[in-house]
Amino acid sequence: MSKGTVVLAYSGGLDTSCILVWLKEQGYDVIAYLANIGQDEDFDAARKKAERLGAKKVFIEDLRAEFVEEFIWPSVQASAIYEDRYLLGTSIARPCIARRQVQIAQKECAQFVSHGATGKGNDQIRFELTCYALYPDVKVTPWSMDANLMHISHAPSDLYLMTKNPEQSPNTPDMLEMEFKSGKPIKVSHVTDGTTKDTPLEIFLYLNEVGGKHGVGRIDIVENRFIGMKSRGIYETPGGTILHHAHLDIEAFTMDREVRRIKQGLGIKFSELLYNGFWYSPECEYVRHCIAKSQENVEGKVQLSVFKGNVNILGRESPKSLYNEELVSMDVQGEYNPCDASGFIRINAVRCILRFNFVLSYRLRLPRCKGSV
Amino acid sequence: MSKGTVVLAYSGGLDTSCILVWLKEQGYDVIAYLANIGQDEDFDAARKKAERLGAKKVFIEDLRAEFVEEFIWPSVQASAIYEDRYLLGTSIARPCIARRQVQIAQKECAQFVSHGATGKGNDQIRFELTCYALYPDVKVTPWSMDANLMHISHAPSDLYLMTKNPEQSPNTPDMLEMEFKSGKPIKVSHVTDGTTKDTPLEIFLYLNEVGGKHGVGRIDIVENRFIGMKSRGIYETPGGTILHHAHLDIEAFTMDREVRRIKQGLGIKFSELLYNGFWYSPECEYVRHCIAKSQENVEGKVQLSVFKGNVNILGRESPKSLYNEELVSMDVQGEYNPCDASGFIRINAVRCILRFNFVLSYRLRLPRCKGSV
Amino acid sequence: MSKGTVVLAYSGGLDTSCILVWLKEQGYDVIAYLANIGQDEDFDAARKKAERLGAKKVFIEDLRAEFVEEFIWPSVQASAIYEDRYLLGTSIARPCIARRQVQIAQKECAQFVSHGATGKGNDQIRFELTCYALYPDVKVTPWSMDANLMHISHAPSDLYLMTKNPEQSPNTPDMLEMEFKSGKPIKVSHVTDGTTKDTPLEIFLYLNEVGGKHGVGRIDIVENRFIGMKSRGIYETPGGTILHHAHLDIEAFTMDREVRRIKQGLGIKFSELLYNGFWYSPECEYVRHCIAKSQENVEGKVQLSVFKGNVNILGRESPKSLYNEELVSMDVQGEYNPCDASGFIRINAVRCILRFNFVLSYRLRLPRCKGSV
Amino acid sequence: MSKGTVVLAYSGGLDTSCILVWLKEQGYDVIAYLANIGQDEDFDAARKKAERLGAKKVFIEDLRAEFVEEFIWPSVQASAIYEDRYLLGTSIARPCIARRQVQIAQKECAQFVSHGATGKGNDQIRFELTCYALYPDVKVTPWSMDANLMHISHAPSDLYLMTKNPEQSPNTPDMLEMEFKSGKPIKVSHVTDGTTKDTPLEIFLYLNEVGGKHGVGRIDIVENRFIGMKSRGIYETPGGTILHHAHLDIEAFTMDREVRRIKQGLGIKFSELLYNGFWYSPECEYVRHCIAKSQENVEGKVQLSVFKGNVNILGRESPKSLYNEELVSMDVQGEYNPCDASGFIRINAVRCILRFNFVLSYRLRLPRCKGSV
């Protein structure tokens, strides 16, 4: 008599294979679910392995396009970056993977979901918060301690899979032109060889390829995890890094200064929510709406070069530019002159004068000049 | 009969030479003041030129050490960066230069100060706000329109004076170790050749040298100026860029996550104040105090490589690390287990469940599974 | 030969009458414009006076409904309050008045607008920023110094026009029920006498009447003006104060905690922008959009009493409540137990333990207990 | 054989008496600890009851002075208020009570602490976070479900213990003068009867008395608890409410506008930390330092009346006032004139013109005036 059905986020690796077997032994029916979010994986071999280990069904789901469009693009719009350095690649993937997992669980009338994320990692939180938010009645099954111990035995031999070492990368740059509309990439062109990509998935794969070739987007950081301790993280985000720089540039070119300041604060909030697993929270939904609104005029083209780990902005153009020289000279010029600046300065200085005049008078007791003035 | 004495911020160049002559013609006595903040300049030649043009006195002041210690170090502590990209080199120099200028004016009983900054630039604001804050009775003399027009005729031929083009920079990295105490650099060592610097000015000059050699810290951006329009800025900040990355790393390693978040907000505020010329304002003084307080435990060493425009962090160590593994396992381990994470997640999920349950129940009307559960 | 046409914001009082005459003397054609935003004024007398003083045309415009719907309602949604105390009544009126003034100027092909706001007041800024934003080519005419001096001679005899002194106010409270939808008031009912109002203007006038009767909404504060100095302000906002409290309550009842926190920050920003005259700025437009979005579920009824200067909330109900007890017990209860709270606490404690453990170990050197544990 | 010693936070009431007995039955030695933070309690009777129920020792600790000085005063400085309405009285008491409890536990070599706070309340979190932060090795003992159930059976008959109903409160106001130094109350005087108090505890007790007499500081709110659900709270904070208003006023009078803005943000952060139980966290310690720094010049006297639930500010004076009229006219006047305001406005208008000019030109297509201009 089955205890019920579990949808297991299956990777094909040792950890989740152990969990699959262990769940069977505990008396559960297991549906193996493997998400394709662009990782380098033999999906057919994984399917066969899951079936051999006793999975009742196996779902292999290509989530790449929805991952790019629904999760990466909003993060690019937000200039999402955690603690000033981490572009949040891993964090973004979790809600995308878990969302499909609960959709399968609901369709298959499974009461349980399971995953291989360890207790101390952020990934447990990101996974489980998404599951509870979207399918409140779901139960998350406990995971095997053995699997966790095995997990620890993995050597970090797979460091830097996507990017070349800049010391070995090509000695000539690639020049790209990125085109944005509403703050989202809509096209990338290689300036020299004419390669052009214009669907979200193709654009992102191509930027990963070019960025990876030139060693772009490697970082080695200590980060503050949600549960309170610090951990070291080594990440590579080649395409995301190119997009981050290109988007920052076109945004600065087309967005009002003060709107940008407010949006910057919202982007920091968004990054924390994303890192901490709160994609499917009321506040993250709200922040995404506000950020998307700010992007309405973020439109235009950015020219850049990619070389030896660097993304260098070379220029930008936009029909929505607030840097439109003709407009500035035609309509504004007449209203502005150097005297305005002086008035502006004097008004702003009032508070400072009050403050430092106190200091001068009462603390430093500087002599005031005497004489003809 | 003199109209009074003007202390002129003199650069030795065409603009301020014109202003000097013009001020003499208007009937003022002129004291030429030239600040050495590390620029490449023939100070003797400038002195002779000023005297030849009729300056009553010439002050050439070496402000390099105080510029590094009192202005650059606090900016490093703050991780000061404007609009996510600009390290604020020019902005930082203005209050330092203007402070000495008003000190000279007060000592020499001059009622006027003058400068060559143009009406549309941020520099006018940075300069004048400092003057009024520190010497409220001072008068800022008007500047010559001709000088401004001449200024426009300058060609940007002096782009990128400090940094090599990464395409021409060396093919082998330099490895450095930066040491920090209270968030300030106290020593830099070259790992291979043993070079060591341990005074603020020497540290900064050395980092400029190494960074410049490897093409670190060039940016080409569109920025939002204080007075409301956008302008293009091309900057190079080799030493500042190395310090920025090294400090970010040791700070993340030694500072509590939530303190860091609060300090990050203060750093953004500080950067805006600095850019806009408000160094000598009550709020900037307050923010500097709060940021300095946050740095008390930011202490330790960061190893990094500098190569082809990149600053790569290789490792870090600190006696104040919150990443102390022994401490974590000894005192905290017993208090923590995977079940804690589950409780934590379920509590955090309550708000999300409420939110998306509404959606599920009332909007989507998804069928709930029936059966034995 | 006329120098052109000026649209003058005319109050009927001494100041703006002087300006009208002075503008005529300077050679301008003058269109007098008088906005009815609910002040106690004999508009017919003002029209005749303006005509007698030489106005070419007189526009008397009833802006009350648009003032309530387009300006007051968004401020209620934002919980707009300046420096924690001032409900911004005066500030809100300026962009509403100035908007119609430039519409008249554009329709009448007038190149100039004028107003009686003094140089040191915030009102000059609020007025002129709106004019420039909506009609960039407009010229603001200078105002007469005499008018300003006369203005000073006004005695503050008209303090507290709208509200009774609570010491003289009734000894029995009035009970009201306020109904909100999307964060906007849609109905007010008097619980005892059955009075009901359901259009924006009627609701607001009725709340002013009830609040005024009970001495609600008087404040005497020192505020920080935009131009840098402090000034004393004595304000009365009877209806606005009732709305502020009622809206705070229904919002807390229906809005997620973390969404509320983000919205609170946006509301503070909105209040500063409003106070400083930036209603028609890109950032204020953006913030208004974001705040309106947050209000989608702010819906329900609040019962309150008004008495002796107090607004006391008695209860609230909402179909969108996140306080829905049935929902909570049905769907969430199962997921939550006291052990979850313990896990939650232990995870949150990790950072604190790290911090104060340092203190205990290294600074206080407290003896650790020995024994059987 | 004892399982060890528990320090129990004992109230003398039914709940904690049950816990005391239950702990004894489980085999623990129990030390009863009763904190006097100003509640109305028969401490002698409580001591006898605890001894009768089997407590090994009983500690009755008068924490009133340290509660006022170390916990209430910093909250007044911060203008601490949760979700715009709640003055946080209950929240502030927890870290004060728990701190002494762990001090007793450490002195008595007790390995356990216990409390009667229920699982769903914020108080469990506030209590336990403090215990873990200050005494990481401590164990918190589980509490009895029965005790929780009994807790639920308490009727809310003790609502509004401290404050009179404003409908029954006196018909004449009391006038007070509050004196502050460094943002802390140092003296209160009754203007009419000459009563004066000048120690922290006496000041606070006296303000509670006067505020309570006039029905000040009652609120009935729905608040967002830390664990994610909303709950209704009915609070009375008579003395705290008077202090909140008086401090807001003297702060606005003596603090720079922009410093105040930054401090306002820190105060909101402080309030959240306090509500959520994080008094002894690194970030709360940091925020308290920054807030205290901002208070250095918050000094002077505030006159106010207390009447029928209202606190009305009547006036203020300060030697540190930034409203010093003599100073303003003497030093600043010369630097300021109405033209400065115009320059200031035009500079600020540039962004707005750019924005709405787009709108005008492209969306509204308003006709531009033709003619002689």
Side-chain angles (χ1 to χ4, degrees), chain A residues 125 127 141 173 195 229 268 274 288 309 328 369:
Chain A
I125 295 168
F127 174 88
T141 66
T195 308
M229 279 176 294
I268 290 172
L274 186 46
R288 283 198 301 276
V328 168
C369 300

Side-chain angles (χ1 to χ4, degrees), chain C residues 29 47 96 140 148 171 179 188 210 246 302 316 326 338 354:
Chain C
D29 288 330
R47 174 189 296 278
C96 178
V140 177
N148 286 327
N171 288 314
E179 187 169 349
V188 59
V210 176
V302 178
R316 71 287 289 168
E326 195 187 345
L354 278 171

Side-chain angles (χ1 to χ4, degrees), chain A residues 79 82-85 105-106 109-111 119-120 124-125 128-129 132-137 143 145 166-167 171 173 218 220-222 224-232 245 248-249 251-257 260-261 264 268 272 276 278 280-283 285 307-310 312-316 322-323 328 332-333 336 338 341-342 344-346 348-349 351-353 355-357 360 366 368-370 372-373, chain B residues 79 82-85 105-106 109-111 119-120 124-125 128-129 132-137 143 145 166-167 171 173 218 220-222 224-232 245 248-249 251-257 260-261 264 268 272 276 278 280-283 285 307-310 312-316 322-323 328 332-333 336 338 341-342 344-346 348-349 351-353 355-357 360 366 368-370 372-373:
Chain A
S79 301
Y82 184 64
E83 297 190 339
D84 292 325
R85 298 190 289 181
Q106 287 173 320
C109 287
Q111 308 83 353
K120 286 205 175 181
Q124 181 192 1
I125 295 168
E128 296 185 12
L129 273 176
Y132 290 130
L134 297 179
Y135 184 11
D137 294 332
W143 57 92
M145 281 303 114
E167 295 188 37
N171 288 315
R218 294 175 162 208
D220 172 345
I221 63 171
V222 170
N224 288 298
R225 292 187 307 180
F226 191 22
I227 60 161
M229 279 176 294
K230 290 174 187 293
S231 67
R232 189 174 175 199
H245 287 287
L248 266 185
D249 196 73
E251 185 180 271
F253 195 54
T254 52
M255 191 181 282
D256 173 77
R257 181 188 72 202
R260 192 191 183 287
R261 247 172 230 186
Q264 182 183 25
I268 290 172
E272 291 171 8
N276 292 336
F278 285 87
Y280 285 108
S281 65
E283 65 272 28
E285 194 182 52
F307 175 65
K308 293 279 181 196
N310 299 292
N312 297 306
I313 304 299
L314 306 172
R316 72 286 290 171
L322 294 170
Y323 185 68
V328 168
V332 180
Q333 190 69 322
Y336 176 83
S342 297
F344 183 76
I345 290 164
R346 275 198 293 269
N348 275 297
R351 289 182 310 106
C352 306
I353 289 174
R355 165 72 184 155
F356 290 93
N357 214 35
L360 288 173
L366 282 179
R368 289 299 179 86
C369 300
K370 297 252 161 63
S372 61
V373 180
Chain B
S79 302
Y82 184 66
E83 297 190 340
D84 293 324
R85 299 191 289 182
Q106 286 173 322
C109 287
Q111 309 85 352
K120 286 205 177 180
Q124 181 193 0
I125 295 168
E128 295 185 14
L129 274 176
Y132 290 129
L134 298 178
Y135 184 9
D137 294 332
W143 58 92
M145 281 304 111
E167 296 189 36
N171 288 315
R218 294 175 163 206
D220 171 345
I221 62 173
V222 169
N224 287 298
R225 292 185 308 176
F226 191 23
I227 59 161
M229 278 176 293
K230 293 175 186 291
S231 68
R232 189 176 176 196
H245 288 286
L248 266 186
D249 195 72
E251 186 180 270
F253 196 53
T254 53
M255 190 180 283
D256 173 77
R257 180 187 73 200
R260 192 191 183 287
R261 245 170 233 187
Q264 182 183 26
I268 290 172
E272 291 170 7
N276 292 337
F278 285 87
Y280 285 108
S281 65
E283 65 273 27
E285 194 183 51
F307 176 66
K308 292 279 181 198
N310 298 292
N312 297 306
I313 304 300
L314 305 172
R316 72 286 289 170
L322 293 170
Y323 184 68
V328 168
V332 178
Q333 191 68 323
Y336 176 82
S342 297
F344 182 76
I345 289 164
R346 274 197 293 271
N348 274 298
R351 288 184 308 107
C352 305
I353 289 175
R355 166 72 185 154
F356 290 93
N357 215 35
L360 289 172
L366 282 179
R368 289 297 178 88
C369 299
K370 296 250 162 64
S372 61
V373 180

